Amino acid sequence: MTRAVRCARLVDVVGERVLTDQLIVIEGDRIVSTGPAAGFDGEVVDLGDVTVAPGLIDLHTHLVGVAACGDYAQELKHSAARQAFASIPNARDTLLAGFTTVRDVGTFRAFVDVALRDAIDAGHVLGPRMAVAGAYVTVRGGGGMLTGFAPDVEVPKEFRFGETRSVDDIRERVREIVFHGADLIKLIATGAVLANGTVPGAPELTEAQMRAAVEEASWYGRYVAAHAHGTEGIKRAVRAGVRSIEHACFLDDEAADLMAAHGTYLSADIWWADWIRETGPSQGYDAEQLRKNDETAEAQREGFRKAVRAGVKIGFGTDAGGFPHGLQGRQLATMVEHGLTPIQALKAATLTSAECMGWADRVGSIAPGLYADLVAVPGELDITKFADVAFVMKGGEVVENTLRAAS
Ligand SMILES: [Zn+2]
């Protein structure tokens, strides 16, 4: 059935401009055309005085599992089935917040994300389109492992699926993860903040290992996203040819220039620290942890500003799962505080992230042939409103609409 959505304003993320009085014609789950609102006979959903943008994309979520609490032993206390069911509200909250597409970059228990992606695609679960990593590729005891157990405790295989030791072995890990349904490969290039005993800045994979992973993944049409906090780990990953750098807490000018030269995307979760500052004391964080949070956040935001100045491709990744799903739209305003215009922030969370995923032919802009994934906020373009969108359409179906209630 052909129908249309009419809106007072439409954010054209390709042209970086706002168009007025637009009509988006939709057939089935796809966009047929967009243009001035005139000369259409079919059914029209008139959204009125709103600003419409493409469905938002988060490059860095963890939809699977029970909310994070920093205690990795929890992972062993929950069955895979319980984790899968617990991810259902996470997927729904993400979609209702306007994120119609996510790249889900890892789960400690391998391939629960693959099952969630397939359940959403089959219509069993309400959620965003997902590209999933399947498992973390990590060194033993590194940032992608469950750590903190006694040395003689053996963690079950499904939690060690991506454990790698050498250049040859990393190829095998990549291959197996792809064969089990992953859309991309997630490498843990440096230590992680939450993983017990790992050092966030320390490199954990060699450049040769990462290069082998990138090459192996490419044979199957896949690409690599690298978790990297430390400067050395970032540079190794960029030189090895990864598609995106996640977090990038300690990004210096040389690393920013290297990313710009290689066309590497930045997926920096620069809002999350505000959430910890806001809720940390009630969650039991002590003064020392809060001070570290502030320092790391400032370093990461300084790196983000450097990347913007260096012309790095800026994507939108938030690490949702570390904080409640559905709040990630708040990061758009943080990105505006640190160097982007509001339209550039929306472009990061739509077109640029779609390009990073290799999905620009289906999502990320409002153009003929793409999925009819739309969000709307009341009134003029105000980036803070995108933290809580009023209207969400995924594949031509309205999944959220509070516009009438608001007016
Ligand atoms: Zn993460």
Side-chain angles (χ1 to χ4, degrees), residues 13-14 30-31 54 57 59 101 223 243 265 347 350-371:
V13 291
V14 178
R30 304 277 177 162
I31 296 163
I57 302 174
L59 287 177
T101 299
Y223 65 92
R243 181 77 64 85
Y265 293 83
K347 184 177 181 175
T350 55
L351 181 65
T352 309
S353 288
E355 287 168 349
C356 176
M357 294 173 74
W359 281 16
D361 60 346
R362 61 195 96 161
V363 296
S365 58
I366 299 172
L370 274 61
Y371 284 117

Side-chain angles (χ1 to χ4, degrees), residues 60-83:
H60 194 122
T61 64
H62 301 278
L63 293 187
V64 165
V66 184
C69 58
D71 173 14
Y72 282 4
Q74 288 285 338
E75 294 278 341
L76 298 174
K77 293 175 185 167
H78 300 146
S79 66
R82 176 160 179 205
Q83 289 188 329

Side-chain angles (χ1 to χ4, degrees), residues 12 35-36 39 44 111 130 154 178 208 226 232 238 249 284-285 298 317 388:
D12 169 14
V44 176
F111 310 120
M130 292 178 78
E154 267 303 321
V178 167
E232 173 61 20
V238 173
C249 281
Y285 284 73
E298 189 35 52
D388 184 18

Side-chain angles (χ1 to χ4, degrees), residues 123-144:
H124 301 151
V125 173
L126 187 66
R129 307 176 195 288
M130 292 178 78
V132 303
Y136 298 113
V137 176
T138 180
V139 295
R140 189 176 178 86

Side-chain angles (χ1 to χ4, degrees), residues 60-66 72 75 78-80 83-84 87 90 103-117 130-138 143-146 156-163 177 180 182 184-188 319-320:
H60 194 122
T61 64
H62 301 278
L63 293 187
V64 165
V66 184
Y72 282 4
E75 294 278 341
H78 300 146
S79 66
Q83 289 188 329
S87 66
N90 300 342
R103 196 179 64 165
D104 207 68
V105 287
T107 153
F108 284 111
R109 191 193 297 267
F111 310 120
V112 184
D113 52 354
V114 170
L116 177 64
R117 175 199 66 195
M130 292 178 78
V132 303
Y136 298 113
V137 176
T138 180
M145 292 286 290
L146 290 183
K157 183 177 180 197
E158 63 259 47
F159 295 97
R160 295 186 290 115
F161 211 92
E163 185 184 308
I177 290 169
H180 284 288
L184 68 136
I185 294 298
K186 172 78 176 297
L187 296 182
I188 305 297
D319 222 351

Side-chain angles (χ1 to χ4, degrees), residues 20 22 28 53 69 77 81-82 103 110 123 126 172 240 243 245 251 255 264 296 321 334 390-391 407:
T20 54
Q22 295 286 300
C69 58
K77 293 175 185 167
R82 176 160 179 205
R103 196 179 64 165
L126 187 66
E172 224 168 288
R243 181 77 64 85
I245 297 291
L251 186 80
T264 316
T296 312
T334 310
F391 175 90
S407 64

